């Protein structure tokens, strides 16, 4: 069983421009005592120095961690009584690299390897807030830097002064498990697979065995004791839930999950491809010779995770990188965005006669690609031959995503580049996907640190779409249903659902990256 690490993490930009907690009521919310700020320069400091060379700090200065692992700042804080309290760490990180911190209270771990990513400059201060249990009287809060770069510049610790906010990931998982059983949640499909992958990320943080048991019970409907799985894998969509097989083998060690996953891996040996080697979206006649941006997420994250789990990394890394490069080469256009699809034969009714491209930039198709390319870059070797090409594709895509972010909401439109046109609307699943991809890419150093603020605006925009209903269950709104390739009017007329699995899974992936990891 994994131990819980972070109960809640929120991010607020200096000056109050952004707040991670929307104004929703919840029975578990409570007000903390009046806020008390503890200046870092007055705390016990190990392997760090007090500095004042970057403006915007409070008190008389801030602590600059040494660029070495093991440094810490130790605060002694006083609580009037026992209970949960918010701990706000004000920091700045002017580099392009994450500078994670470990946080303990009275010697007990509250957060391990908590990301403190780039803030856009050493004078750009942000506050990262987590919830921890305090004892009555004196408490020791230690903020340690486990990485070789040390920690970010730390200005202060603020205790109390706000509400203990909802852990939206945990609330969403609990709500969904209350609405469905492993038998009623749906068949073998990529939307359910996406959601359950997100639930697994929450399990990794909380260690709640019920979350993993639910995933296992779902998968066991399709995988028998001998590892047989009744799927033909005639399209890429059917492969996405295979990620759960890799996960369950890792968690249980049961070989039947490996045998089931190998069926997908072996299917790729004979799966049809374009002349450049890109997997067709489906083997059905209506999808013949077509690449859909959706498809890269349906197979490539599974593939690199399969390679890692079962010792097939050389093939998996090469194949996944090739697929991202082929798809990106055909689908990405000058504005950095990807068209929804491309038909090598040119026979599809939607295919441009000259380019073979679909006419529009559908947001979730681009979202799938953005998450897939980040997952693959995370997995392939640093010296992989196609890495530079993938980074170029990602950086061009980040430019396009930034350009078309809605300035009013921070989200992105169903047809991404036509936000000003009649009937267009901001869609929640793709906004979650873009937000995740930008945040993770900044954290990993794949793109410029300035995109951290784009991700934060996106995060706040998505949080505005989640709330609690009268039964204290989560409602995530404005999620597009599954969508084929079509015209502008087709996309904007797609049904906007609440709690659709496309949105639930994307939200969890995003929230575990930005809020609680």
């Amino acid at each position: 069983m994994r131990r819980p690490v972070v109960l809640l993490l929120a991010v607020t930009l200096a000056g109050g421009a952004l707040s991670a907690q929307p104004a929703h009521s919840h029975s578990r919310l409570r007000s903390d005592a009046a806020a008390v700020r503890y200046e870092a320069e007055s705390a016990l400091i190990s392997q760090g120095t007090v500095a004042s060379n970057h403006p915007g700090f409070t008190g008389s200065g801030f602590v600059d961690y040494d660029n070495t692992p093991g440094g810490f700042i130790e605060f002694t804080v006083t609580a009037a009584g026992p209970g949960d309290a918010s701990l706000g760490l004000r920091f700045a990180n002017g580099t392009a690299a994450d500078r994670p911190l470990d946080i303990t209270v009275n010697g007990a771990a509250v957060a391990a390897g908590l990301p403190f990513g780039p803030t856009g400059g050493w004078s750009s201060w942000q506050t990262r807030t987590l919830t921890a249990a305090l004892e009555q009287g004196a408490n020791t809060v230690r903020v340690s830097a486990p990485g070789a770069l040390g920690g970010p510049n730390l200005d202060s610790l603020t205790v109390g002064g706000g509400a203990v906010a909802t852990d939206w990931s945990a609330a969403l998982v609990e709500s969904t498990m209350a609405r469905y059983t492993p038998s009623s949640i749906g068949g073998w499909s990529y939307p359910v697979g996406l959601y359950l992958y997100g639930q697994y990320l929450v399990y990794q943080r909380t260690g709640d065995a019920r979350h993993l048991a639910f995933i296992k019970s779902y998968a066991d409907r399709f995988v028998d004791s001998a590892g047989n799985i009744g799927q033909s894998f005639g399209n890429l969509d059917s492969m996405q839930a295979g990620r759960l097989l890799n996960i369950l083998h890792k968690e249980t060690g049961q070989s039947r999950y490996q045998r089931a996953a190998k069926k997908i891996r072996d299917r790729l040996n004979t799966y049809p491809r374009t002349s450049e080697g890109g997997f067709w979206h489906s083997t059905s006649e209506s999808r013949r010779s077509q690449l859909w941006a959706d498809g890269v997420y349906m197979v490539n994250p599974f593939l690199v995770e399969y390679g890692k789990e079962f010792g097939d990394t050389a093939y998996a890394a090469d194949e996944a990188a090739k697929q991202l490069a082929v798809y990106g080469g055909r689908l990405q256009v000058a504005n950095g965005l990807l068209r929804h699809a491309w038909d090598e034969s040119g026979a599809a009714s939607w295919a441009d006669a000259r380019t073979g491209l679909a006419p529009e930039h559908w947001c979730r198709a681009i979202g799938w690609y953005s998450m897939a390319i980040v997952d693959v870059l995370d997995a392939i070797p640093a010296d992989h031959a196609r890495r530079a090409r993938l980074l170029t594709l990602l950086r061009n895509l980040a430019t396009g995503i930034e350009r078309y972010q809605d300035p009013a909401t921070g989200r992105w439109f169903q047809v991404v580049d036509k936000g000003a046109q009649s009937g267009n609307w901001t869609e929640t699943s793709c906004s979650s996907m873009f937000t995740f991809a930008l945040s993770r890419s900044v954290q990993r150093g794949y793109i410029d640190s300035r995109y951290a603020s784009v991700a934060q605006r996106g995060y706040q925009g998505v949080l505005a779409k989640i709330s609690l209903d009268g039964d204290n269950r989560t409602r995530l709104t404005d999620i597009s249903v599954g969508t084929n390739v079509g015209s502008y009017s087709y996309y904007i007329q797609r049904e906007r659902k609440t709690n659709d699995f496309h949105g639930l899974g994307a939200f969890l992936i995003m929230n575990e990256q930005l809020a609680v990891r």
Side-chain angles (χ1 to χ4, degrees):
M1 176 71 71
R2 294 171 172 80
R3 59 174 172 76
V5 284
V6 185
L7 296 179
L8 168 101
L9 173 64
V11 177
T12 307
L13 292 188
L18 294 176
S19 170
Q21 173 60 25
H24 303 305
S25 63
H26 192 290
S27 62
R28 292 188 291 109
L29 295 182
R30 66 168 179 79
S31 295
D32 289 337
V36 178
R37 187 172 68 223
Y38 298 84
E39 298 294 346
E41 66 270 21
S42 300
L44 175 66
I45 302 167
S46 174
Q47 298 186 111
T49 58
V50 176
S52 58
N53 57 323
H54 300 301
F57 56 82
T58 60
S60 60
F62 56 86
V63 174
D64 182 354
Y65 282 89
D66 293 346
N67 292 337
T68 185
F72 66 81
I73 304 168
E74 187 172 281
F75 301 87
T76 300
V77 305
T78 303
D84 289 346
S86 61
L87 308 179
L89 294 164
R90 191 167 189 260
F91 73 101
N93 181 359
T95 71
D98 181 34
R99 291 173 177 252
L101 295 174
D102 295 340
I103 296 140
T104 63
V105 174
N106 300 323
V110 175
L114 195 65
F116 281 74
T119 60
W122 290 113
S123 301
S124 298
W125 299 92
Q126 295 182 11
T127 300
R128 200 174 281 279
T129 305
L130 60 154
T131 301
L134 299 182
E135 299 174 356
Q136 184 174 355
N139 293 264
T140 300
V141 179
R142 178 176 286 196
V143 184
S144 305
L149 296 177
N153 287 349
L154 194 66
D155 181 40
S156 63
L157 167 68
T158 299
V159 179
V164 178
T166 304
D167 180 337
W168 286 115
S169 290
L172 191 152
V173 168
E174 291 299 323
S175 298
T176 306
M177 289 174 61
R179 291 182 174 118
Y180 302 99
T181 68
S183 297
S184 68
I185 197 168
W188 181 267
S189 70
Y190 76 87
V192 177
L194 176 75
Y195 164 73
L196 291 176
Y197 173 76
Q199 180 165 309
Y200 177 69
L201 297 180
V202 180
Y203 162 75
Q204 286 187 299
R205 173 171 61 88
T206 66
D208 190 327
R210 296 176 304 121
H211 298 167
L212 182 62
F214 189 102
I215 296 168
K216 185 177 183 299
S217 293
Y218 166 81
D220 287 351
R221 291 169 49 200
F222 310 99
V223 180
D224 68 17
S225 59
N228 298 308
I229 182 169
Q231 305 291 324
S232 62
F233 301 112
N235 56 69
L236 300 184
D237 286 352
S238 65
M239 300 179 186
Q240 192 281 334
R243 297 183 87 173
L244 306 179
L245 306 176
N246 299 332
I247 287 167
L248 290 170
H249 182 271
K250 176 182 177 181
E251 293 290 343
T252 70
Q254 294 181 19
S255 60
R256 64 194 182 103
Y257 296 118
Q258 179 178 7
R259 288 192 289 272
K262 190 173 185 297
K263 185 171 182 180
I264 302 176
R265 162 66 181 88
D266 290 345
R267 180 69 181 90
L268 297 178
N269 295 335
T270 58
Y271 195 85
R273 302 168 181 251
T274 65
S275 60
E276 296 170 311
F279 292 134
W280 293 2
H281 189 65
S282 171
T283 59
S284 67
E285 193 61 31
S286 64
R287 305 289 186 264
R288 185 180 183 85
S289 303
Q290 296 174 17
L291 306 182
W292 292 24
D294 323 38
V296 291
Y297 191 81
M298 302 305 152
V299 64
N300 293 297
F302 158 81
L303 187 57
V304 292
E305 290 161 4
Y306 178 94
K308 180 179 179 180
E309 183 66 18
F310 303 118
D312 196 12
T313 53
Y315 165 77
D318 288 347
E319 185 71 87
K322 176 180 180 178
Q323 293 301 318
L324 269 296
V326 170
Y327 272 69
R330 284 297 176 182
L331 296 172
Q332 192 171 60
V333 297
N335 64 7
L337 300 180
L338 281 73
R339 297 288 179 85
H340 189 171
W342 173 75
D343 183 4
E344 184 171 39
S345 71
S349 60
W350 46 258
D352 180 89
R354 182 178 61 86
T355 66
L357 286 169
E360 301 293 352
H361 298 296
W362 178 46
C363 70
R364 192 160 64 228
I366 304 169
W368 290 124
Y369 187 92
S370 71
M371 292 202 303
I373 198 168
V374 171
D375 283 353
V376 170
L377 282 167
D378 283 353
I380 65 175
D383 61 352
H384 193 278
R386 294 187 190 269
R387 191 174 189 85
R389 173 60 176 152
L390 297 189
L391 287 170
T392 297
L393 289 165
L394 175 59
R395 289 164 184 166
N396 290 340
L397 176 56
T399 300
I401 290 172
E402 179 186 33
R403 178 183 297 125
Y404 294 109
Q405 185 177 33
D406 178 26
T409 67
R411 297 185 295 273
W412 284 267
F413 286 92
Q414 172 81 333
V415 179
V416 182
D417 62 329
K418 296 181 177 178
Q421 290 197 18
S422 175
N424 211 348
W425 48 282
T426 60
E427 200 278 331
T428 301
S429 69
C430 77
S431 296
S432 299
M433 293 171 174
F434 292 159
T435 297
F436 161 80
L438 292 178
S439 175
R440 177 65 66 86
S441 295
V442 169
Q443 182 186 2
R444 296 288 196 262
Y446 302 152
I447 59 178
D448 190 89
S449 62
R450 68 185 176 84
Y451 288 103
S453 62
V454 182
Q456 284 300 324
R457 289 194 295 272
Y459 183 53
Q460 300 308 310
V462 174
L463 285 179
K465 291 295 181 179
I466 192 167
S467 61
L468 292 157
D469 62 19
D471 294 326
N472 227 26
R473 294 180 182 175
T474 52
R475 296 181 73 256
L476 186 66
T477 60
D478 287 343
I479 305 164
S480 176
V481 296
T483 300
N484 291 318
V485 182
S487 64
Y488 175 81
S489 61
Y490 168 77
Y491 290 114
I492 66 168
Q493 291 171 19
R494 298 301 288 160
E495 182 182 358
R496 299 157 69 166
K497 294 191 69 175
T498 295
N499 295 333
D500 184 274
F501 288 120
H502 296 88
L504 299 184
F507 179 92
L508 291 175
I509 293 168
M510 173 202 71
N511 203 50
E512 290 301 294
Q513 167 65 24
L514 276 95
V516 295
R517 206 167 178 119

